[in-house]
PDB file of all heavy atoms in Angstrom:
ATOM      1  N   ASN A  66      -2.234  -6.583 -45.585  1.00 98.00           N
ATOM      2  CA  ASN A  66      -1.414  -5.611 -46.326  1.00 98.00           C
ATOM      3  C   ASN A  66      -2.334  -4.611 -47.023  1.00 98.00           C
ATOM      4  O   ASN A  66      -3.555  -4.799 -47.043  1.00 98.00           O
ATOM      5  CB  ASN A  66      -0.497  -6.322 -47.353  1.00 98.00           C
ATOM      6  CG  ASN A  66      -1.282  -7.209 -48.292  1.00 98.00           C
ATOM      7  OD1 ASN A  66      -2.058  -6.709 -49.107  1.00 98.00           O
ATOM      8  ND2 ASN A  66      -1.122  -8.507 -48.172  1.00 98.00           N
ATOM      9  N   GLY A  67      -1.752  -3.591 -47.608  1.00 98.00           N
ATOM     10  CA  GLY A  67      -2.546  -2.539 -48.248  1.00 98.00           C
ATOM     11  C   GLY A  67      -3.247  -3.000 -49.518  1.00 98.00           C
ATOM     12  O   GLY A  67      -4.341  -2.523 -49.845  1.00 98.00           O
ATOM     13  N   THR A  68      -2.626  -3.923 -50.233  1.00 98.00           N
ATOM     14  CA  THR A  68      -3.234  -4.438 -51.467  1.00 98.00           C
ATOM     15  C   THR A  68      -4.523  -5.182 -51.127  1.00 98.00           C
ATOM     16  O   THR A  68      -5.567  -4.999 -51.761  1.00 98.00           O
ATOM     17  CB  THR A  68      -2.251  -5.381 -52.199  1.00 98.00           C
ATOM     18  OG1 THR A  68      -0.969  -4.747 -52.263  1.00 98.00           O
ATOM     19  CG2 THR A  68      -2.720  -5.697 -53.597  1.00 98.00           C
ATOM     20  N   THR A  92       0.817   5.601 -60.081  1.00 98.00           N
ATOM     21  CA  THR A  92       0.686   5.080 -58.724  1.00 98.00           C
ATOM     22  C   THR A  92       1.474   3.780 -58.657  1.00 98.00           C
ATOM     23  O   THR A  92       2.028   3.318 -59.657  1.00 98.00           O
ATOM     24  CB  THR A  92      -0.803   4.817 -58.373  1.00 98.00           C
ATOM     25  OG1 THR A  92      -0.893   4.232 -57.061  1.00 98.00           O
ATOM     26  CG2 THR A  92      -1.464   3.865 -59.362  1.00 98.00           C
ATOM     27  N   PHE A  93       1.516   3.188 -57.466  1.00 98.00           N
ATOM     28  CA  PHE A  93       2.132   1.878 -57.310  1.00 98.00           C
ATOM     29  C   PHE A  93       1.188   0.824 -57.892  1.00 98.00           C
ATOM     30  O   PHE A  93      -0.034   0.971 -57.840  1.00 98.00           O
ATOM     31  CB  PHE A  93       2.408   1.619 -55.816  1.00 98.00           C
ATOM     32  CG  PHE A  93       3.065   0.305 -55.541  1.00 98.00           C
ATOM     33  CD1 PHE A  93       4.273  -0.034 -56.142  1.00 98.00           C
ATOM     34  CD2 PHE A  93       2.466  -0.616 -54.682  1.00 98.00           C
ATOM     35  CE1 PHE A  93       4.872  -1.260 -55.890  1.00 98.00           C
ATOM     36  CE2 PHE A  93       3.066  -1.839 -54.424  1.00 98.00           C
ATOM     37  CZ  PHE A  93       4.259  -2.166 -55.023  1.00 98.00           C
ATOM     38  N   ALA A  95      -0.039  -1.838 -56.974  1.00 98.00           N
ATOM     39  CA  ALA A  95      -1.048  -2.457 -56.101  1.00 98.00           C
ATOM     40  C   ALA A  95      -2.447  -1.883 -56.313  1.00 98.00           C
ATOM     41  O   ALA A  95      -3.445  -2.603 -56.171  1.00 98.00           O
ATOM     42  CB  ALA A  95      -0.642  -2.297 -54.643  1.00 98.00           C
ATOM     43  N   THR A  96      -2.539  -0.597 -56.637  1.00 98.00           N
ATOM     44  CA  THR A  96      -3.849   0.023 -56.863  1.00 98.00           C
ATOM     45  C   THR A  96      -4.604  -0.758 -57.941  1.00 98.00           C
ATOM     46  O   THR A  96      -5.774  -1.099 -57.782  1.00 98.00           O
ATOM     47  CB  THR A  96      -3.687   1.497 -57.304  1.00 98.00           C
ATOM     48  OG1 THR A  96      -2.754   2.147 -56.449  1.00 98.00           O
ATOM     49  CG2 THR A  96      -5.005   2.234 -57.282  1.00 98.00           C
ATOM     50  N   VAL A 138      -5.930   8.187 -55.647  1.00 98.00           N
ATOM     51  CA  VAL A 138      -4.733   7.783 -54.895  1.00 98.00           C
ATOM     52  C   VAL A 138      -4.096   9.040 -54.289  1.00 98.00           C
ATOM     53  O   VAL A 138      -3.701   9.951 -55.026  1.00 98.00           O
ATOM     54  CB  VAL A 138      -3.711   7.072 -55.819  1.00 98.00           C
ATOM     55  CG1 VAL A 138      -2.494   6.612 -55.022  1.00 98.00           C
ATOM     56  CG2 VAL A 138      -4.364   5.891 -56.539  1.00 98.00           C
ATOM     57  N   ASP A 164      -7.300   5.364 -51.933  1.00 98.00           N
ATOM     58  CA  ASP A 164      -6.033   4.652 -51.730  1.00 98.00           C
ATOM     59  C   ASP A 164      -5.166   5.594 -50.899  1.00 98.00           C
ATOM     60  O   ASP A 164      -4.536   6.519 -51.419  1.00 98.00           O
ATOM     61  CB  ASP A 164      -5.366   4.302 -53.061  1.00 98.00           C
ATOM     62  CG  ASP A 164      -4.076   3.492 -52.871  1.00 98.00           C
ATOM     63  OD1 ASP A 164      -3.490   3.570 -51.769  1.00 98.00           O
ATOM     64  OD2 ASP A 164      -3.638   2.810 -53.816  1.00 98.00           O
ATOM     65  N   ALA A 166      -2.659   4.641 -48.930  1.00 98.00           N
ATOM     66  CA  ALA A 166      -1.464   3.877 -48.521  1.00 98.00           C
ATOM     67  C   ALA A 166      -0.263   4.773 -48.235  1.00 98.00           C
ATOM     68  O   ALA A 166       0.649   4.374 -47.520  1.00 98.00           O
ATOM     69  CB  ALA A 166      -1.112   2.857 -49.593  1.00 98.00           C
ATOM     70  N   GLN A 167      -0.265   5.998 -48.799  1.00 98.00           N
ATOM     71  CA  GLN A 167       0.865   6.907 -48.588  1.00 98.00           C
ATOM     72  C   GLN A 167       0.450   8.151 -47.807  1.00 98.00           C
ATOM     73  O   GLN A 167       1.202   9.129 -47.785  1.00 98.00           O
ATOM     74  CB  GLN A 167       1.455   7.325 -49.947  1.00 98.00           C
ATOM     75  CG  GLN A 167       1.925   6.141 -50.787  1.00 98.00           C
ATOM     76  CD  GLN A 167       2.722   6.553 -52.018  1.00 98.00           C
ATOM     77  OE1 GLN A 167       2.979   7.735 -52.261  1.00 98.00           O
ATOM     78  NE2 GLN A 167       3.142   5.572 -52.801  1.00 98.00           N
ATOM     79  N   SER A 188      -1.772   1.088 -46.084  1.00 98.00           N
ATOM     80  CA  SER A 188      -0.718   0.074 -46.048  1.00 98.00           C
ATOM     81  C   SER A 188       0.210   0.401 -44.888  1.00 98.00           C
ATOM     82  O   SER A 188       0.491   1.573 -44.631  1.00 98.00           O
ATOM     83  CB  SER A 188       0.079   0.108 -47.352  1.00 98.00           C
ATOM     84  OG  SER A 188       1.314  -0.576 -47.191  1.00 98.00           O
ATOM     85  N   LYS A 193       6.309   3.043 -45.137  1.00 98.00           N
ATOM     86  CA  LYS A 193       5.229   4.042 -45.165  1.00 98.00           C
ATOM     87  C   LYS A 193       5.302   4.946 -43.932  1.00 98.00           C
ATOM     88  O   LYS A 193       5.990   4.613 -42.967  1.00 98.00           O
ATOM     89  CB  LYS A 193       3.860   3.329 -45.230  1.00 98.00           C
ATOM     90  CG  LYS A 193       3.717   2.393 -46.445  1.00 98.00           C
ATOM     91  CD  LYS A 193       3.424   3.144 -47.740  1.00 98.00           C
ATOM     92  CE  LYS A 193       3.772   2.364 -48.977  1.00 98.00           C
ATOM     93  NZ  LYS A 193       2.714   1.578 -49.565  1.00 98.00           N
ATOM     94  N   GLY A 201       1.368  -5.231 -43.382  1.00 98.00           N
ATOM     95  CA  GLY A 201       0.148  -4.920 -42.633  1.00 98.00           C
ATOM     96  C   GLY A 201      -0.676  -3.933 -43.432  1.00 98.00           C
ATOM     97  O   GLY A 201      -0.158  -3.258 -44.335  1.00 98.00           O
ATOM     98  N   TYR A 317       6.903   6.877 -59.955  1.00 98.00           N
ATOM     99  CA  TYR A 317       7.294   5.555 -60.404  1.00 98.00           C
ATOM    100  C   TYR A 317       7.775   5.686 -61.836  1.00 98.00           C
ATOM    101  O   TYR A 317       7.215   6.499 -62.581  1.00 98.00           O
ATOM    102  CB  TYR A 317       6.096   4.614 -60.291  1.00 98.00           C
ATOM    103  CG  TYR A 317       5.685   4.458 -58.824  1.00 98.00           C
ATOM    104  CD1 TYR A 317       4.752   5.323 -58.263  1.00 98.00           C
ATOM    105  CD2 TYR A 317       6.290   3.501 -58.010  1.00 98.00           C
ATOM    106  CE1 TYR A 317       4.416   5.213 -56.915  1.00 98.00           C
ATOM    107  CE2 TYR A 317       5.939   3.384 -56.668  1.00 98.00           C
ATOM    108  CZ  TYR A 317       5.013   4.251 -56.126  1.00 98.00           C
ATOM    109  OH  TYR A 317       4.693   4.169 -54.801  1.00 98.00           O
TER     110      TYR A 317
HETATM  111  C1  PLP V   1       2.200   0.671 -50.685  1.00 92.91           C
HETATM  112  C2  PLP V   1       1.047   0.959 -51.558  1.00 92.91           C
HETATM  113  C3  PLP V   1      -0.017   0.055 -51.733  1.00 92.91           C
HETATM  114  C4  PLP V   1      -0.010  -1.365 -51.284  1.00 92.91           C
HETATM  115  O1  PLP V   1       0.365  -1.657 -50.040  1.00 92.91           O
HETATM  116  P1  PLP V   1       1.029  -3.055 -49.603  1.00 92.91           P
HETATM  117  O2  PLP V   1       0.884  -2.994 -48.121  1.00 92.91           O
HETATM  118  O3  PLP V   1       2.447  -3.051 -50.070  1.00 92.91           O
HETATM  119  O4  PLP V   1       0.236  -4.160 -50.204  1.00 92.91           O
HETATM  120  C5  PLP V   1      -1.127   0.469 -52.464  1.00 92.91           C
HETATM  121  N1  PLP V   1      -1.175   1.677 -53.035  1.00 92.91           N
HETATM  122  C6  PLP V   1      -0.165   2.555 -52.930  1.00 92.91           C
HETATM  123  C7  PLP V   1      -0.287   3.896 -53.584  1.00 92.91           C
HETATM  124  C8  PLP V   1       0.980   2.227 -52.207  1.00 92.91           C
HETATM  125  O5  PLP V   1       1.989   3.111 -52.119  1.00 92.91           O
END
Side-chain angles (χ1 to χ4, degrees):
N66 55 67
T68 312
T92 177
F93 181 57
T96 313
V138 182
D164 183 338
Q167 302 190 2
S188 163
K193 302 282 159 93
Y317 296 90

